[in-house]
Short mmCIF file of all heavy atoms in Angstrom, two decimals:
data_model
loop_
_atom_site.label_atom_id
_atom_site.label_comp_id
_atom_site.label_asym_id
_atom_site.label_seq_id
_atom_site.Cartn_x
_atom_site.Cartn_y
_atom_site.Cartn_z
N ALA T 1 200.98 22.60 193.32
CA ALA T 1 202.10 23.53 193.21
C ALA T 1 202.39 23.86 191.71
O ALA T 1 202.61 25.00 191.31
CB ALA T 1 203.37 23.06 193.93
N GLU T 2 202.47 22.82 190.88
CA GLU T 2 202.84 23.01 189.51
C GLU T 2 201.71 23.85 188.69
O GLU T 2 202.05 24.74 187.92
CB GLU T 2 203.06 21.66 188.75
CG GLU T 2 204.30 20.99 189.19
CD GLU T 2 204.52 19.62 188.40
OE1 GLU T 2 203.64 19.35 187.53
OE2 GLU T 2 205.46 18.98 188.70
N GLU T 3 200.52 23.59 189.02
CA GLU T 3 199.37 24.34 188.46
C GLU T 3 199.45 25.81 188.91
O GLU T 3 199.30 26.66 188.08
CB GLU T 3 198.02 23.77 188.89
CG GLU T 3 197.67 22.36 188.34
CD GLU T 3 196.35 21.91 188.98
OE1 GLU T 3 196.06 22.20 190.16
OE2 GLU T 3 195.57 21.32 188.23
N ALA T 4 199.67 25.98 190.18
CA ALA T 4 199.70 27.40 190.70
C ALA T 4 200.84 28.17 190.05
O ALA T 4 200.65 29.37 189.75
CB ALA T 4 199.84 27.27 192.23
N LEU T 5 202.00 27.54 189.92
CA LEU T 5 203.18 28.26 189.33
C LEU T 5 202.88 28.63 187.88
O LEU T 5 203.13 29.80 187.48
CB LEU T 5 204.44 27.42 189.47
CG LEU T 5 205.66 28.01 188.92
CD1 LEU T 5 205.99 29.40 189.59
CD2 LEU T 5 206.85 27.07 189.07
N LYS T 6 202.33 27.69 187.07
CA LYS T 6 202.00 27.99 185.71
C LYS T 6 201.03 29.09 185.60
O LYS T 6 201.13 30.04 184.82
CB LYS T 6 201.50 26.70 185.04
CG LYS T 6 201.27 26.88 183.56
CD LYS T 6 200.85 25.55 182.90
CE LYS T 6 200.63 25.78 181.37
NZ LYS T 6 200.31 24.47 180.80
N MET T 7 199.99 29.09 186.43
CA MET T 7 198.90 30.04 186.41
C MET T 7 199.43 31.47 186.78
O MET T 7 199.13 32.46 186.23
CB MET T 7 197.70 29.63 187.34
CG MET T 7 197.06 28.38 186.83
SD MET T 7 196.04 27.57 188.07
CE MET T 7 194.68 28.71 188.14
N ALA T 8 200.34 31.44 187.88
CA ALA T 8 200.86 32.72 188.31
C ALA T 8 201.79 33.38 187.33
O ALA T 8 201.78 34.54 187.04
CB ALA T 8 201.56 32.52 189.63
N ALA T 9 202.65 32.47 186.68
CA ALA T 9 203.58 32.99 185.69
C ALA T 9 202.89 33.48 184.49
O ALA T 9 203.27 34.60 183.93
CB ALA T 9 204.59 31.93 185.34
N GLN T 10 201.88 32.76 183.93
CA GLN T 10 201.15 33.28 182.77
C GLN T 10 200.40 34.50 183.13
O GLN T 10 200.30 35.45 182.26
CB GLN T 10 200.27 32.19 182.26
CG GLN T 10 199.39 32.64 181.04
CD GLN T 10 200.25 33.02 179.87
OE1 GLN T 10 201.31 32.47 179.60
NE2 GLN T 10 199.83 34.01 179.09
N THR T 11 199.83 34.61 184.27
CA THR T 11 199.11 35.87 184.70
C THR T 11 200.05 37.03 184.69
O THR T 11 199.73 38.14 184.26
CB THR T 11 198.46 35.61 186.06
OG1 THR T 11 197.55 34.56 185.97
CG2 THR T 11 197.67 36.92 186.47
N ALA T 12 201.26 36.83 185.25
CA ALA T 12 202.34 37.91 185.34
C ALA T 12 202.72 38.34 183.91
O ALA T 12 202.83 39.49 183.64
CB ALA T 12 203.48 37.50 186.07
N LYS T 13 202.85 37.32 183.07
CA LYS T 13 203.22 37.63 181.65
C LYS T 13 202.12 38.38 180.95
O LYS T 13 202.37 39.41 180.27
CB LYS T 13 203.45 36.33 180.86
CG LYS T 13 203.91 36.52 179.41
CD LYS T 13 204.26 35.20 178.78
CE LYS T 13 204.72 35.40 177.31
NZ LYS T 13 203.78 35.94 176.44
N GLY T 14 200.88 38.01 181.20
CA GLY T 14 199.74 38.75 180.63
C GLY T 14 199.65 40.26 181.14
O GLY T 14 199.42 41.15 180.38
N ALA T 15 199.99 40.36 182.42
CA ALA T 15 199.95 41.75 183.03
C ALA T 15 201.03 42.64 182.36
O ALA T 15 200.73 43.77 181.91
CB ALA T 15 200.13 41.63 184.49
N ALA T 16 202.24 42.04 182.17
CA ALA T 16 203.31 42.75 181.56
C ALA T 16 202.92 43.18 180.12
O ALA T 16 203.21 44.27 179.62
CB ALA T 16 204.57 42.08 181.65
N ASP T 17 202.47 42.23 179.30
CA ASP T 17 202.06 42.50 177.99
C ASP T 17 200.95 43.46 177.83
O ASP T 17 200.90 44.27 176.83
CB ASP T 17 201.62 41.19 177.31
CG ASP T 17 202.88 40.28 176.98
OD1 ASP T 17 203.97 40.78 177.00
OD2 ASP T 17 202.62 39.11 176.69
N LEU T 18 200.08 43.54 178.80
CA LEU T 18 199.04 44.62 178.75
C LEU T 18 199.69 46.02 178.67
O LEU T 18 199.28 46.93 177.98
CB LEU T 18 198.09 44.54 179.90
CG LEU T 18 196.96 43.47 179.92
CD1 LEU T 18 196.22 43.41 181.23
CD2 LEU T 18 195.97 43.85 178.79
N LEU T 19 200.69 46.21 179.52
CA LEU T 19 201.36 47.45 179.72
C LEU T 19 202.16 47.76 178.50
O LEU T 19 202.21 48.86 177.93
CB LEU T 19 202.24 47.54 180.89
CG LEU T 19 201.55 47.25 182.25
CD1 LEU T 19 202.55 47.40 183.40
CD2 LEU T 19 200.34 48.16 182.46
N LEU T 20 202.95 46.73 177.93
CA LEU T 20 203.79 46.91 176.79
C LEU T 20 203.09 47.08 175.55
O LEU T 20 203.43 47.89 174.68
CB LEU T 20 204.82 45.81 176.79
CG LEU T 20 205.80 45.68 177.89
CD1 LEU T 20 206.59 44.40 177.87
CD2 LEU T 20 206.76 46.85 177.88
N GLN T 21 202.11 46.25 175.27
CA GLN T 21 201.35 46.20 174.01
C GLN T 21 200.38 47.35 173.93
O GLN T 21 200.16 47.87 172.74
CB GLN T 21 200.76 44.84 173.75
CG GLN T 21 201.78 43.74 173.53
CD GLN T 21 201.13 42.41 173.27
OE1 GLN T 21 200.03 42.33 172.72
NE2 GLN T 21 201.84 41.33 173.57
N LEU T 22 199.73 47.66 175.00
CA LEU T 22 198.73 48.74 174.98
C LEU T 22 199.33 50.12 175.38
O LEU T 22 198.55 51.10 175.36
CB LEU T 22 197.62 48.40 175.91
CG LEU T 22 196.80 47.13 175.58
CD1 LEU T 22 195.71 46.89 176.52
CD2 LEU T 22 196.34 47.07 174.18
N ALA T 23 200.60 50.14 175.71
CA ALA T 23 201.15 51.35 176.31
C ALA T 23 200.29 51.99 177.41
O ALA T 23 200.13 53.19 177.49
CB ALA T 23 201.40 52.48 175.11
N SER T 24 199.88 51.11 178.25
CA SER T 24 198.93 51.48 179.28
C SER T 24 199.70 51.68 180.61
O SER T 24 200.87 51.41 180.69
CB SER T 24 197.83 50.36 179.47
OG SER T 24 196.90 50.69 180.38
N HIS T 25 198.95 52.27 181.55
CA HIS T 25 199.53 52.44 182.89
C HIS T 25 199.01 51.40 183.88
O HIS T 25 197.81 51.01 183.77
CB HIS T 25 199.11 53.88 183.39
CG HIS T 25 199.80 54.27 184.64
ND1 HIS T 25 199.47 53.86 185.96
CD2 HIS T 25 200.92 55.06 184.83
CE1 HIS T 25 200.25 54.37 186.81
NE2 HIS T 25 201.10 55.09 186.22
N PRO T 26 199.83 50.94 184.82
CA PRO T 26 199.31 49.84 185.72
C PRO T 26 198.07 50.24 186.41
O PRO T 26 197.13 49.35 186.53
CB PRO T 26 200.47 49.74 186.76
CG PRO T 26 201.67 50.15 185.96
CD PRO T 26 201.22 51.22 185.02
N GLU T 27 197.87 51.46 186.89
CA GLU T 27 196.63 51.77 187.62
C GLU T 27 195.41 51.71 186.75
O GLU T 27 194.27 51.38 187.21
CB GLU T 27 196.80 53.10 188.30
CG GLU T 27 197.79 53.13 189.42
CD GLU T 27 197.46 52.11 190.55
OE1 GLU T 27 196.26 51.87 190.89
OE2 GLU T 27 198.50 51.54 191.05
N HIS T 28 195.61 52.09 185.44
CA HIS T 28 194.44 52.04 184.54
C HIS T 28 193.98 50.56 184.34
O HIS T 28 192.79 50.28 184.36
CB HIS T 28 194.93 52.60 183.18
CG HIS T 28 193.87 52.48 182.11
ND1 HIS T 28 192.70 53.26 182.17
CD2 HIS T 28 193.75 51.74 181.00
CE1 HIS T 28 191.95 52.99 181.11
NE2 HIS T 28 192.56 52.13 180.38
N GLU T 29 194.92 49.64 184.27
CA GLU T 29 194.58 48.23 184.04
C GLU T 29 194.04 47.70 185.41
O GLU T 29 193.15 46.85 185.39
CB GLU T 29 195.78 47.37 183.59
CG GLU T 29 196.30 47.84 182.26
CD GLU T 29 195.28 47.72 181.15
OE1 GLU T 29 194.40 46.87 181.18
OE2 GLU T 29 195.26 48.62 180.22
N ILE T 30 194.58 48.13 186.55
CA ILE T 30 194.09 47.71 187.80
C ILE T 30 192.65 48.12 188.03
O ILE T 30 191.75 47.45 188.50
CB ILE T 30 194.95 48.22 189.00
CG1 ILE T 30 196.32 47.51 189.07
CG2 ILE T 30 194.27 48.17 190.35
CD1 ILE T 30 197.33 48.16 190.00
N ASP T 31 192.33 49.37 187.64
CA ASP T 31 190.95 49.86 187.77
C ASP T 31 189.94 48.94 186.98
O ASP T 31 188.72 48.89 187.38
CB ASP T 31 190.87 51.31 187.19
CG ASP T 31 191.44 52.28 188.08
OD1 ASP T 31 191.74 51.91 189.26
OD2 ASP T 31 191.77 53.44 187.71
N LYS T 32 190.39 48.31 185.93
CA LYS T 32 189.45 47.46 185.15
C LYS T 32 189.05 46.20 185.90
O LYS T 32 188.02 45.58 185.58
CB LYS T 32 190.12 47.02 183.86
CG LYS T 32 190.45 48.17 182.88
CD LYS T 32 191.08 47.62 181.59
CE LYS T 32 191.36 48.79 180.60
NZ LYS T 32 192.03 48.27 179.40
#
């Protein structure tokens, strides 16, 4: 459980930073 939560939270943070730092669109990043 602790591993899964840390991995999920960091993955979510990375996803948000992709959009904010690259000024990208979610579907563009999903396509990758």
Side-chain angles (χ1 to χ4, degrees):
E2 290 183 2
E3 290 177 324
L5 180 56
K6 184 175 183 178
M7 293 163 73
Q10 178 59 37
T11 301
K13 182 177 183 295
D17 284 344
L18 281 174
L19 304 184
L20 293 172
Q21 294 182 24
L22 301 181
S24 186
H25 189 278
E27 291 304 323
H28 177 68
E29 298 303 325
I30 287 171
D31 286 346
K32 293 179 181 179

